[in-house]
């Protein structure tokens, strides 16, 4: 299977940087993602940053319409509806998420390029940790008609936007064709490295407004664009 189909076209050519920048300009979630990247830089023990960031991402990405996070949202004044459900998630994974967050803060690596700057051994350990946290979240994100992968990935993106990709159902099924977040992260890292080698550009620097500044936030724009058209499914 050809895994280079997000930052590369079907002929194997790298998607031009200016084309990616244009897709970023048209992306509908830039403001929500920007606030998430800014606010999640350092997490607190009480989970207030977690609750605020997850409420924003879940509601903006359509997860509050139905399912376990129905009606979860944050208004313009910062008032949060459904914080009890989010606090349950925090109590389960908070310690582990803070551990990852602190390791990023003290690493000395660029936050936006963290996945590319750590070595392979560190990356493998990080991915194993993320997969473990995601499995802890699944009982909270699982719904009557879903396995919880979408909700769990979006929650992790909300607090670790330098590592995790927010993945919807179509992406899991049609783009990545896996249920393992580790496979997705590895693929993102490998394809990004290849694309940057070919183009000489840095993927996380393609948003001219400086809102999407982490590798997953930019890669997500392209991963959403790579979803097959419904008519052709």
């Amino acid at each position: 299977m050809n895994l280079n189909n997000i930052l590369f076209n079907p002929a194997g050519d790298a998607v031009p940087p200016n084309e990616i920048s244009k897709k970023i300009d048209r992306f509908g979630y830039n403001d929500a993602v920007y606030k998430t990247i800014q606010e999640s830089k350092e997490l607190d023990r009480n989970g207030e940053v977690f609750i605020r960031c997850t409420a924003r991402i879940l509601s903006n990405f359509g997860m509050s319409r139905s399912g376990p996070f129905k009606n979860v949202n944050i208004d313009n004044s910062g008032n949060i509806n459904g914080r009890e459900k989010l606090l349950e998630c925090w109590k389960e994974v908070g310690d582990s998420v803070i551990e990852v967050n602190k390791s990023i803060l003290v690493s000395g690596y660029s936050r936006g390029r963290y996945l590319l700057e750590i070595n392979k051994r560190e990356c493998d350990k990080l991915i194993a940790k993320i997969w473990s946290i995601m499995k802890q979240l699944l009982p909270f994100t699982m719904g009557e008609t879903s396995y919880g992968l979408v909700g769990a990935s979006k929650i992790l993106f909300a607090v670790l936007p330098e590592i995790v990709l927010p993945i919807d159902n179509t992406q899991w099924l049609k783009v990545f064709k896996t249920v393992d977040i580790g496979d997705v992260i590895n693929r993102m890292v490998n394809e990004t490295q290849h694309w940057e080698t070919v183009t000489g550009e840095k993927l996380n620097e393609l948003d001219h407004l400086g809102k999407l500044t982490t590798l997953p936030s930019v890669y997500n724009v392209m991963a959403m664009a790579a979803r097959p058209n419904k008519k052709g499914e």
Side-chain angles (χ1 to χ4, degrees):
M1 176 171 44
N2 178 18
L3 297 184
N4 291 327
N5 68 343
I6 292 176
L7 300 179
F8 292 81
N9 64 30
D13 300 318
V15 177
N18 65 330
E19 185 175 324
I20 296 178
S21 294
K22 289 178 182 177
K23 289 184 184 298
I24 292 172
D25 291 341
R26 296 193 296 266
F27 194 59
Y29 306 99
N30 288 346
D31 289 340
V33 173
Y34 172 69
K35 290 177 182 177
T36 292
I37 292 172
Q38 294 298 306
E39 294 182 12
S40 64
K41 182 177 181 180
E42 187 169 356
L43 305 178
D44 63 288
R45 284 285 172 187
N46 294 329
E48 286 303 311
V49 173
F50 174 90
I51 291 170
R52 188 164 61 249
C53 289
T54 52
R56 180 180 296 111
I57 288 298
L58 289 171
S59 58
N60 273 270
F61 280 72
M63 300 298 296
S64 60
R65 297 170 190 157
S66 61
F69 298 102
K70 185 176 181 179
N71 297 325
V72 168
N73 62 67
I74 180 171
D75 65 22
N76 292 332
S77 300
N79 299 311
I80 297 166
N81 187 52
R83 64 165 37 243
E84 297 80 9
K85 180 70 176 181
L86 301 175
L87 187 58
E88 289 178 11
C89 295
W90 177 250
K91 288 178 179 177
E92 180 67 25
V93 302
D95 288 344
S96 297
V97 172
I98 281 182
E99 181 183 336
V100 175
N101 175 250
K102 284 189 173 180
S103 70
I104 295 168
L105 289 173
V106 304
S107 69
Y109 297 126
S110 161
R111 186 185 180 209
R113 297 182 59 75
Y114 185 75
L115 286 172
L116 293 189
E117 294 190 358
I118 58 176
N119 62 44
K120 182 66 166 63
R121 182 180 178 186
E122 290 175 315
C123 192
D124 288 344
K125 287 174 63 177
L126 175 64
I127 288 172
K129 184 73 172 178
I130 295 298
W131 182 221
S132 176
I133 297 172
M134 190 165 186
K135 285 188 286 186
Q136 287 179 273
L137 281 172
L138 291 179
F140 300 92
T141 60
M142 193 173 293
E144 293 182 2
T145 58
S146 71
Y147 293 112
L149 295 168
V150 175
S153 72
K154 294 186 189 305
I155 286 173
L156 287 178
F157 173 75
V159 285
L160 297 171
E162 58 276 276
I163 297 171
V164 182
L165 197 70
I167 310 167
D168 66 20
N169 273 318
T170 302
Q171 288 171 310
W172 282 115
L173 294 169
K174 304 287 187 178
V175 178
F176 297 112
K177 300 179 181 179
T178 181
V179 295
D180 188 335
I181 190 68
D183 291 343
V184 175
I185 295 174
N186 269 319
R187 175 174 170 178
M188 176 170 58
V189 170
N190 292 335
E191 190 176 1
T192 300
Q193 287 175 328
H194 184 196
W195 183 89
E196 290 193 351
T197 298
V198 171
T199 64
E201 300 282 348
K202 292 182 178 179
L203 188 68
N204 63 304
E205 296 180 355
L206 296 183
D207 182 0
H208 301 314
L209 296 179
K211 292 185 175 182
L212 307 191
T213 55
T214 68
L215 293 172
S217 66
V218 175
Y219 192 84
N220 178 55
V221 173
M222 300 306 293
M224 291 187 75
R227 295 177 301 180
N229 295 325
K230 291 183 179 179
K231 292 180 179 180
E233 289 182 5

